[in-house]
Amino acid sequence: MPENNDLLPDSPVEGLVPTLNNTGWMTVALDEISTDFARYAGTLDDEVLDVGCAYGIATLAALEAGARVLACDIEPRHLDILAERVPEHLRGNVRCQTAVLPDVDFEPATFGAVLASRVLHFLNGADVELTVRKMHDWLKPGGRAYLVADSPYVGPWRDHAAEYERRKAAGEDWPGFIADYAQFLPPGTDPAEHPDYINPMDPDILARVCIAAGFDILEARFLRGGTANSSDRDHAGVVAVKP
Ligand SMILES: C[S@@+](CC[C@H](N)C(=O)[O-])C[C@H]1O[C@@H](n2cnc3c(N)ncnc32)[C@H](O)[C@@H]1O
């Protein structure tokens, strides 16, 4: 973790930093797919994209590895903090831009790699599909998409895991989708401080969406979370390549 953590908001939960816009938490430890993104990004001359970057956990790691990064988030206050956290000598290698998935557009064949870590589950199925199709368009041939989504086995919605498994066995495309997130919040929690719906995913779902968009899959698996009490199935992760 870089030294400038004092720029982050205070957190009541060890290992997690709250977002400023009620979209969950940024982890303070990189998951394995985000680690691989940072390492790979550092080998490229092309700029890479970190979308849903929050305060820059992966952006900072990629910059330290030698990458040039476009850091995007729906919340400009996250980007202001990220920009301040970037060490002076790396500031010329980062750009920050407010961007909303799935609406944002970039020029085709712009990036060498794209990371979307723990942001896609805030989108419904059609918007996930549109976003991944756009990512395919934004990448140069040979470019890689690194995708991490919260799984049905983490968060307050893990109480719904058996229902997700039943719907998956029945062949539903989005078996983890929960239209009414508020039902899983502990008593006394203000629903206004949480998204209306949530769309947790497994590796099969992420891989299916990537293949439909034209990607080849390099790996698809469950991932451990970044907190002390995380399980081996907290997140779904995929690395995909544009042929
Ligand atoms: C749970 S945090 C994940 C942060 C970090 N990538 C990580 O893996 O820890 C989700 C981030 O995605 C951003 N976000 C949520 N919905 C978004 C959208 N539709 N478009 C772009 N960013 C979004 C939030 O502002 C927040 O910074």
Side-chain angles (χ1 to χ4, degrees):
M1 215 22 197
E3 292 156 43
N4 42 13
N5 286 350
D6 49 349
L7 296 168
L8 296 171
D10 289 338
S11 178
V13 184
E14 196 176 339
L16 297 173
V17 187
T19 55
L20 300 176
N21 59 348
N22 301 325
T23 56
W25 310 75
M26 185 186 81
T27 53
V28 296
L30 278 180
D31 63 78
E32 290 174 357
I33 297 266
S34 299
T35 301
D36 289 349
F37 163 79
R39 198 177 295 136
Y40 182 69
T43 69
L44 300 176
D45 292 330
D46 296 318
E47 190 175 42
V48 300
L49 174 67
D50 179 9
V51 64
C53 61
Y55 312 109
I57 170 83
T59 288
L60 290 169
L63 289 170
E64 295 287 357
R68 292 189 300 117
V69 185
L70 176 58
C72 291
D73 202 278
I74 196 173
E75 175 54 69
R77 290 174 296 172
H78 294 170
L79 298 173
D80 291 343
I81 292 172
L82 162 55
E84 271 198 78
R85 295 183 74 211
V86 177
E88 197 81 35
H89 69 285
L90 295 174
R91 291 202 172 157
N93 292 344
V94 65
R95 299 189 293 141
C96 295
Q97 179 181 324
T98 306
V100 181
L101 296 174
D103 303 336
V104 63
D105 286 307
F106 299 103
E107 289 298 312
T110 296
F111 302 108
V114 174
L115 172 70
S117 174
R118 300 179 48 249
V119 58
L120 293 177
H121 55 274
F122 294 113
L123 306 180
N124 65 32
D127 285 348
V128 174
E129 288 166 354
L130 175 57
T131 295
V132 175
R133 282 200 303 274
K134 285 189 173 190
M135 287 176 173
H136 185 272
D137 190 44
W138 302 334
L139 282 166
K140 297 192 171 186
R144 294 185 183 182
Y146 292 77
L147 308 180
V148 179
D150 279 3
S151 84
Y153 299 107
V154 72
W157 56 85
R158 62 183 173 274
D159 293 348
H160 184 258
E163 175 66 2
Y164 145 77
E165 288 171 356
R166 189 195 64 71
R167 286 165 53 184
K168 183 175 172 72
E172 284 192 31
D173 279 348
W174 298 98
F177 184 80
I178 293 165
D180 172 23
Y181 183 16
Q183 66 184 296
F184 294 106
L185 296 174
T189 311
D190 181 359
E193 293 180 357
H194 294 269
D196 294 340
Y197 65 85
I198 199 87
N199 193 12
M201 288 169 227
D202 61 34
D204 295 341
I205 296 170
L206 280 178
R208 182 195 74 223
V209 172
C210 286
I211 290 166
F215 284 103
D216 293 336
I217 304 299
L218 297 179
E219 58 178 291
R221 59 192 170 95
F222 281 111
L223 301 172
R224 204 170 173 77
T227 56
N229 58 355
S230 65
S231 84
D232 288 339
R233 294 191 299 180
D234 275 9
H235 310 307
V238 155
V239 184
V241 61
K242 176 175 177 172

